[in-house]
């Protein structure tokens, strides 16, 4: 019988949708078509756990570890912040809750950290050494700092204070949409943001992810900084793939 590549299951939990798929860990890609279920309201950890059970039932053949991304600080499986999700997540031991609910080994990771791991292992920053900073521009700004392939978790660079304000309130993609900014006006804000990161960390490379990265040609050339800055390669797969990768390595 042909040897199949190792798989684990990735789940990307976001404010509007919960996406899951078995992931081929050699290819860094979905091993079967992804399923998306609408995020319940209110999106408390218990209600979300029930959705995970439903999702996993649809893939009875994928029996490996399960990784989950959450848009908040996660330390040893416990969520410590919830800027854009239900506050009930704060203090919840999500590794334990989801492991109990699903009967599977579950490891939870910050969403941007998951995406960052995926981009460094399989995507835009594959093979790059030194400090790579992966940012996701969405409702908030997520960040992953990866040094020589090793993640420094929970960097939360979206909440840096830039010009007296929480950076993500000015420079996230949600700010562009809310204020109907032109690409050029948004790029000017991104320039200020990435220049701040440059000054603080002197990275080798910035990778820009989040749904809007598919329109990178519209705004990235207008971001005027000295460091190389490139779009993410995995686009909306990065969360699911990164979660699965994280779980396959036993979590943090
Ligand atoms: C949260 C981060 C998250 C980012 C992207 C921020 O508001 O604090 O934990 O990674 O949004 O979802």
């Amino acid at each position: 019988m042909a040897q199949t590549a190792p798989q684990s299951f990735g789940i990307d939990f976001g404010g509007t949708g919960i996406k899951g798929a078995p992931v081929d860990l050699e290819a860094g890609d979905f091993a079967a078509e992804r399923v998306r279920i609408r995020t319940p309201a209110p999106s408390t950890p218990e209600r979300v756990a029930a959705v995970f059970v439903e999702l996993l039932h649809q893939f009875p053949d994928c029996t490996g570890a399960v990784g989950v991304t959450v848009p908040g600080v996660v330390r040893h499986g416990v969520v410590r912040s919830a800027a854009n999700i239900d506050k009930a997540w704060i203090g919840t031991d999500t590794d334990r809750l989801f492991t109990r609910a699903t009967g599977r080994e579950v490891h939870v990771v910050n969403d941007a950290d998951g995406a960052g791991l995926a981009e460094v292992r399989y995507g835009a920053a594959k093979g790059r050494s030194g400090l790579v900073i992966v940012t996701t521009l969405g409702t908030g700004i997520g960040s992953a700092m990866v040094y020589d392939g090793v993640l420094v978790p929970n960097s939360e660079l979206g909440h840096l204070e830039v010009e007296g304000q929480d950076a993500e309130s000015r420079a996230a993609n949600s700010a562009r949409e809310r204020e109907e900014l032109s690409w050029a006006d948004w790029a000017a804000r991104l320039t200020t943001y990435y220049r701040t990161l440059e000054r603080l960390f002197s990275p080798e490379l910035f990778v820009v992810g989040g749904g809007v990265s598919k329109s990178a040609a519209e705004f990235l050339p207008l971001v005027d900084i000295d460091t190389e800055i490139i779009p993410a390669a995995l686009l909306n797969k990065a969360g699911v793939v990164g979660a699965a990768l994280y779980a396959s390595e036993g979590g943090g």
Side-chain angles (χ1 to χ4, degrees):
M1 202 172 79
Q3 195 74 25
T4 51
Q7 283 186 14
S8 55
F9 197 88
I11 298 178
D12 184 350
F13 161 61
T16 54
I18 297 173
K19 297 171 251 171
V23 172
D24 173 334
L25 296 163
E26 268 165 23
D29 202 352
F30 298 164
E33 202 176 329
R34 186 203 74 170
V35 167
R36 181 182 191 279
I37 297 177
R38 190 192 293 269
T39 302
S43 56
T44 56
E46 286 75 15
R47 300 217 29 206
V48 168
V51 175
F52 292 173
V53 171
E54 192 186 328
L55 202 55
L56 287 166
H57 273 153
Q58 300 190 34
F59 298 94
D61 297 339
C62 181
T63 53
V66 178
V68 174
T69 65
V70 164
V73 170
V74 187
R75 290 192 61 222
H76 309 297
V78 180
V79 174
R80 296 290 180 195
S81 76
N84 298 306
I85 52 172
D86 197 291
K87 301 294 176 247
W89 287 81
I90 297 176
T92 300
D93 185 339
T94 49
D95 274 13
R96 204 165 68 187
L97 175 74
F98 298 149
T99 295
R100 275 200 190 148
T102 62
R104 303 276 291 268
E105 178 191 331
V106 183
H107 296 281
V108 180
V109 63
N110 170 266
D111 57 356
D113 282 342
L117 284 174
E119 289 296 336
V120 169
R121 183 71 64 92
Y122 307 110
K126 186 176 171 183
R128 299 293 294 252
S129 57
L131 179 62
V132 175
I133 299 183
V134 180
T135 52
T136 60
L137 304 175
T139 307
I141 296 181
S143 64
M145 297 180 80
V146 186
Y147 187 82
D148 281 355
V150 177
L151 175 71
V152 181
N154 297 309
S155 49
E156 291 291 317
L157 302 180
H159 296 297
L160 273 182
E161 189 177 310
V162 177
E163 295 184 329
Q165 279 169 299
D166 190 34
E168 72 175 24
S169 70
R170 299 265 304 155
N173 188 47
S174 57
R176 179 184 70 84
E177 290 173 345
R178 190 175 56 243
E179 299 179 47
E180 297 178 7
L181 298 176
S182 66
W183 292 116
D185 286 346
W186 188 46
R189 290 190 187 182
L190 291 173
T191 297
T192 305
Y193 177 62
Y194 287 108
R195 280 207 172 275
T196 306
L197 297 186
E198 233 176 10
R199 211 168 45 242
L200 289 171
F201 302 109
S202 303
E204 299 292 334
L205 174 70
F206 289 114
V207 176
V208 179
V212 73
S213 61
K214 65 177 181 297
S215 306
E218 306 282 354
F219 66 93
L220 265 198
L222 308 176
V223 175
D224 180 19
I225 59 173
D226 296 326
T227 309
E228 186 183 356
I229 183 164
I230 58 174
L234 279 92
L235 300 172
N236 56 7
K237 289 185 177 177
V240 169
V241 172
L245 174 62
Y246 184 76
S248 74
E249 297 185 342

